[in-house]
Amino acid sequence: MTGPMQRALRRETHSPRSALSVVVAVAVAALAIYCMLEFTLAALGQPSWLVHPVDAGAWLAALPGPYSPLLLGAAGVVLALLGLIFLGNGLLPGRRARHVVADPRVAIVVDDEVVASALARCARMAAGVTREQVMVVVSARLVQVNIRPTSGIRLSEAAIQAAVEAELADMALDPAPAVTVKLADSGVIGV
Amino acid sequence: MNGTPRGLNRFLLALLGLVLLAAGAGLVVLATVPSAAQWWQGYAGAQLDWLRDYENRSRLLLGNESWIWIAGAALSLLVVIAMISWIANQGKGRAATLLDRPGDADDDGAAGAVRISCAVAEQALKSALLERTDLLGVSVTSYDFARQTAVKVRVLPRQGVAPHKIAAEIAELVEALDELLGLEVPVLLSIGTAARSRFTKAERVR
């Protein structure tokens, strides 16, 4: 695998932050359009639409003004939280729920949901239960297989674990997750 | 693998986050600490007086209004243009030409050029993948990536289909495409789930 494709894989497994960027850009543009309107009205000497720029400045300079500290404090906390969300989006790695599959020719990424449904099918075959009795959760470094056995039929945890691990080894995921199998204490009847 | 400016996205989001965080924290301090509120009113009041004074001194002959409002409007317009170009840059980078090789005297002596459209690779892969029953959706697109053209294949398999088997079979298809075209195009394969695959039944026999 060459350098550019490594970069492509890195890009595919991390969020581009484009959805939030578009939302923020639209909000900032709307604010700027409103400011442009008020500035233009002031420049032409026309009465302002909502508030004259100087009056807006005076309101800002008079804070806290007549408002209750509770209201202002709450508004400040909301603003700061919003800022924290944006800052987190800007700085955190933003890993997507995807794994890389090693291949010499093609760069391959797989959504964790696909891995989970394939492993669920494998675990279902190994345990001999129906679809509804198996739940698989795939995260970056852990695969959790939860199985509710049919009442009265004993299942072998080790056999299921071996089957799922063999399937996972065939997939050759990067990073390679560990497998834990959990059999529920109570079985189900009538499936 | 498209040309979304990820670094710019993150930088602008972090910048806006810092500004909002500072404004929010300042507002909380204003609301809770009386001495800070006094300082703010004194400081911002002085700035406001300067602004009013400057507005009176900078009135234009034409229309008798200050030019700072025109400057403010122009600045806002610049911000709007910057935001629109930021949005327009998301998801760009689609390519149209897979190969563009001019003929020269050293090669075979013929003048001219060989140009292969991306549609060749896209259609070849797509028509091969659409025949499969274990795939609910296929899309093939080409991007300009790292100064070369790369093909991105997105397939949406049914529930329960093993991803490594699909991957191996598509890798074989790509090798066949390499032979067909006579060049190795970088290929990215993305295997995902469609909303539809959750509501259709899993493939029981394969």
Side-chain angles (χ1 to χ4, degrees):
Chain A
M1 195 74 49
T2 51
M5 288 325 273
Q6 286 292 347
R7 231 183 90 213
L9 285 177
R10 209 198 117 71
R11 283 174 79 93
E12 283 300 313
T13 47
H14 290 79
S15 165
R17 307 292 192 208
S18 45
L20 188 67
S21 294
V22 169
V23 171
V24 165
V26 167
V28 172
L31 193 70
I33 286 173
Y34 169 70
C35 289
M36 194 166 70
L37 172 72
E38 292 293 5
F39 278 132
T40 312
L41 288 176
L44 293 174
Q46 299 290 318
S48 57
W49 181 42
L50 294 179
V51 58
H52 192 273
V54 169
D55 296 338
W59 176 83
L60 206 62
L63 281 177
Y67 307 103
S68 83
L70 204 67
L71 189 71
L72 271 188
V77 167
V78 168
L79 266 189
L81 277 182
L82 212 59
L84 214 57
I85 291 172
F86 291 159
L87 196 63
N89 268 284
L91 298 182
L92 294 177
R95 286 188 58 89
R96 283 170 155 176
R98 286 180 174 175
H99 279 86
V100 171
V101 175
D103 188 278
R105 171 66 184 90
V106 186
I108 304 170
V109 289
V110 190
D111 285 14
D112 282 356
E113 270 182 74
V114 178
V115 175
S117 70
L119 292 181
R121 181 170 181 270
C122 168
R124 171 166 63 90
M125 297 299 214
V129 294
T130 62
R131 276 180 72 190
E132 293 77 18
Q133 287 164 272
V134 182
M135 192 182 73
V136 177
V137 182
V138 175
S139 53
R141 301 201 170 272
L142 187 68
V143 172
Q144 255 186 307
V145 183
N146 299 305
I147 298 185
R148 282 176 79 84
T150 308
S151 211
I153 300 174
R154 188 174 292 279
L155 293 182
S156 155
E157 206 169 307
I160 297 167
Q161 174 128 11
V164 171
E165 271 173 355
E167 179 88 354
L168 206 56
D170 280 349
M171 287 183 196
L173 299 182
D174 174 42
V179 180
T180 58
V181 177
K182 217 178 130 219
L183 298 182
D185 296 335
S186 58
V188 286
I189 307 174
V191 285
Chain B
M1 93 188 295
N2 54 23
T4 301
R6 296 185 173 214
L8 182 74
N9 282 359
R10 281 170 178 272
F11 171 72
L12 287 179
L13 284 177
L15 190 73
L16 190 79
L18 274 183
V19 169
L20 284 183
L21 197 61
L27 205 56
V28 171
V29 170
L30 272 189
T32 48
V33 185
S35 60
Q38 261 178 6
W39 172 84
W40 165 252
Q41 284 177 347
Y43 171 77
Q47 303 297 318
L48 191 68
D49 288 341
W50 177 85
L51 181 71
R52 283 195 171 117
D53 181 51
Y54 193 80
E55 186 206 352
N56 277 326
R57 281 193 285 122
S58 63
R59 287 182 190 279
L60 298 173
L61 288 175
L62 194 71
N64 198 27
E65 291 293 334
S66 171
W67 61 265
I68 56 173
W69 304 136
I70 300 176
L75 199 68
S76 311
L77 186 65
L78 282 184
V79 171
V80 173
I81 292 171
M83 288 302 127
I84 289 173
S85 58
W86 185 23
I87 295 175
N89 268 306
Q90 308 292 327
K92 66 169 183 182
R94 292 286 293 270
T97 313
L98 196 63
L99 172 79
D100 192 354
R101 191 159 64 194
D104 56 8
D106 296 338
D107 194 8
D108 58 357
V114 176
R115 198 166 292 159
I116 301 177
S117 164
C118 286
V120 175
E122 288 172 16
Q123 297 294 328
L125 281 176
K126 195 163 183 173
S127 61
L129 291 175
L130 279 177
E131 288 168 5
R132 303 176 60 112
T133 52
D134 55 348
L135 299 181
L136 287 174
V138 176
S139 72
V140 186
T141 44
S142 308
Y143 292 97
D144 276 325
F145 185 76
R147 285 189 296 283
Q148 56 184 337
T149 309
V151 177
K152 178 177 174 178
V153 183
R154 172 98 173 148
V155 295
L156 310 171
R158 273 178 203 280
Q159 271 197 342
V161 177
H164 57 285
K165 287 184 182 140
I166 295 182
E169 285 169 32
I170 293 179
E172 273 173 30
L173 272 181
V174 169
E175 271 157 25
L177 182 75
D178 288 343
E179 278 186 24
L180 177 74
L181 294 175
L183 74 158
E184 278 204 7
V185 187
V187 177
L188 179 100
L189 170 63
S190 170
I191 305 173
T193 41
R196 208 180 121 204
S197 67
R198 284 181 205 121
F199 302 112
T200 51
K201 61 176 184 288
E203 197 169 29
R204 283 175 191 277
V205 184
R206 186 175 142 65

